[in-house]
Amino acid sequence: MPATPRSRRERPAKPALTREGIVAVAVEILRAEGLPKVTMRRLAQELDTGPASLYVYVRNTAELHAAVLDELLGSIGPAPAAGGWRERLEGVLVAYTRMLLEYPSLARSALTAWPSGPHYLDLIETLLGLLDEGGVPRERAAWGVDLLLQRATATAAEHAGEASREDWDTLGQALSQVSDRTHPHIAAASGVLLSGAPEARVSWAFQALINGIERTAVPEPRD
Amino acid sequence: MPATPRSRRERPAKPALTREGIVAVAVEILRAEGLPKVTMRRLAQELDTGPASLYVYVRNTAELHAAVLDELLGSIGPAPAAGGWRERLEGVLVAYTRMLLEYPSLARSALTAWPSGPHYLDLIETLLGLLDEGGVPRERAAWGVDLLLQRATATAAEHAGEASREDWDTLGQALSQVSDRTHPHIAAASGVLLSGAPEARVSWAFQALINGIERTAVPEPRD
DNA sequence: ACCTGAACACCGTTCAAGT
DNA sequence: ACCTGAACACCGTTCAAGT
């Protein structure tokens, strides 16, 4: 009796071996199993080829991650239509942060491999538009966008790796056990340092950033 | 003729197999060859043992990285003695950023594996002290420290991985090629978006953060 | 030209077995 | 108890060789 061929029913239609096909499969694996499983070898296996073949379409793993992020960026939708510019700006930033928080390891990778895809450009345009609506001078807005996006990305990235919850507790313990002779300011602030609901802190941080960007003059360029 | 034993002159005194010894060797390798070479296997080899032995002293790679960072933190020295609180605060933050910029991949790892060592606590104490001196309310200062340290860490982390320089150029190209019909605000700001000397941007960002922290009220805790 | 099998040069972590 | 050899289960990337 000949061995029966392995079933191929798992994937309805095998995506084509193109950049789009690779990114599509990568997003699928990311959603189902997380970024650590999105490896060149796994992708190749899923596409019935060897890992070497992928290098025709993507330069390396970092570039692949950036493409995946831009793809996901398409899902956060437009800015809220109601409310003042400040609230709407916070709304966009919170939506971006929330999306990244679903894939913290992708956020981590986005911090290093800068996205430059179409959805990322749309996001920058939206942020600049809202800052302009609020009367923030163009130069401050331009430099400020970096601050806002970096805060969102870094906040999500901090949750990558299973250890993060434990580390927070370790730091909390260290902060509360500190002597008020050697570290008087920590001792005095220990109750507040790690206090507050996560949403409240996220919101406060964005408002503080917006306030700072609004009020801080960019230096005159010297030549 | 018996085989001559392998020379052991490379390392003057092999550090003891203790947590301190392991961290010391890790710092040494980091300084000489960068974080990617600081692996469990390499460390074990350097200490004449197998990788499994290290797990008696460190929980995992992330914890090791955090210990290494705290060690390096000891080298940035105290806050500048002269100047207003604002300038001294910026001085501390710039010194921290500069140190991290020498080891961007360590910064990247610090974003995930929170340090909680003695030198990190000292840094927090210094920041809180300077904000207090500036009359910043305790609650704002406590929440603000997270903003300041995260900015420093994330800025350095962005330089990890060889690709970062190229990515920046790619983004710059994408930004300057955008159509002013679809992305009018980017088009209008394209000159400013990526302008400015790195030091000027780092300095502006910290000043904007300080200004924002100073002026943004923390919400009343609800129970 | 486009594609890929196989190899190169590694990883972190666990665990059974030794001392 | 403390320590570790060997194994498990993987990685990314390159390159010579095939079609």
Side-chain angles (χ1 to χ4, degrees), chain A residues 16-26 38-41 43-44 47 49-68, chain B residues 166:
Chain A
L17 189 49
T18 60
R19 195 171 210 277
E20 290 73 35
I22 293 167
V23 173
V25 177
V38 183
T39 66
M40 293 305 215
R41 279 163 190 272
L43 244 22
L47 289 159
T49 183
S53 307
L54 305 178
Y55 286 80
V56 179
Y57 306 97
V58 290
R59 190 195 305 274
N60 52 36
T61 308
E63 200 204 87
L64 176 70
H65 288 173
V68 167
Chain B
E166 248 172 71

Side-chain angles (χ1 to χ4, degrees), chain B residues 26-139:
Chain B
V27 170
E28 220 175 286
I29 300 176
L30 173 71
R31 289 220 151 94
E33 302 172 49
L35 194 70
K37 297 285 184 184
V38 183
T39 67
M40 293 304 213
R41 280 163 190 273
R42 172 66 188 280
L43 244 19
Q45 182 192 307
E46 212 82 26
L47 289 158
D48 270 335
T49 182
S53 307
L54 305 178
Y55 286 80
V56 178
Y57 306 97
V58 290
R59 192 196 302 275
N60 51 39
T61 308
E63 202 205 84
L64 176 70
H65 288 174
V68 168
L69 175 60
D70 198 76
E71 196 66 28
L72 292 179
L73 228 40
S75 67
I76 60 169
W85 68 275
R86 224 177 271 268
E87 288 80 53
R88 280 180 291 143
L89 181 51
E90 188 189 316
V92 173
L93 292 165
V94 168
Y96 180 50
T97 308
R98 247 198 269 276
M99 186 275 278
L100 287 173
L101 276 170
E102 282 176 55
Y103 310 103
S105 45
L106 194 64
R108 206 192 163 180
S109 145
L111 217 51
T112 315
W114 280 37
S116 60
H119 292 124
Y120 194 68
L121 294 182
D122 290 349
L123 178 58
I124 294 177
E125 175 69 17
T126 302
L127 298 179
L128 287 174
L130 287 165
L131 287 165
D132 182 52
E133 193 183 324
V136 177
R138 209 200 288 309
E139 292 77 23

Side-chain angles (χ1 to χ4, degrees), chain B residues 122-202:
Chain B
D122 290 349
L123 178 58
I124 294 177
E125 175 69 17
T126 302
L127 298 179
L128 287 174
L130 287 165
L131 287 165
D132 182 52
E133 193 183 324
V136 177
R138 209 200 288 309
E139 292 77 23
R140 303 183 194 185
W143 285 20
V145 161
D146 168 49
L147 231 50
L148 295 170
L149 289 174
Q150 193 197 55
R151 170 71 193 179
T153 313
T155 299
E158 280 176 352
H159 290 82
E162 339 82 78
S164 68
R165 175 77 228 183
E166 248 172 71
D167 288 355
W168 177 272
D169 294 346
T170 309
L171 182 59
Q173 268 211 320
L175 287 172
S176 63
Q177 278 168 8
V178 120
S179 153
D180 70 346
R181 292 196 63 86
T182 56
H183 300 80
H185 295 99
I186 292 182
S190 70
V192 212
L193 269 167
L194 300 173
S195 73
E199 309 85 50
R201 289 187 75 129
V202 165

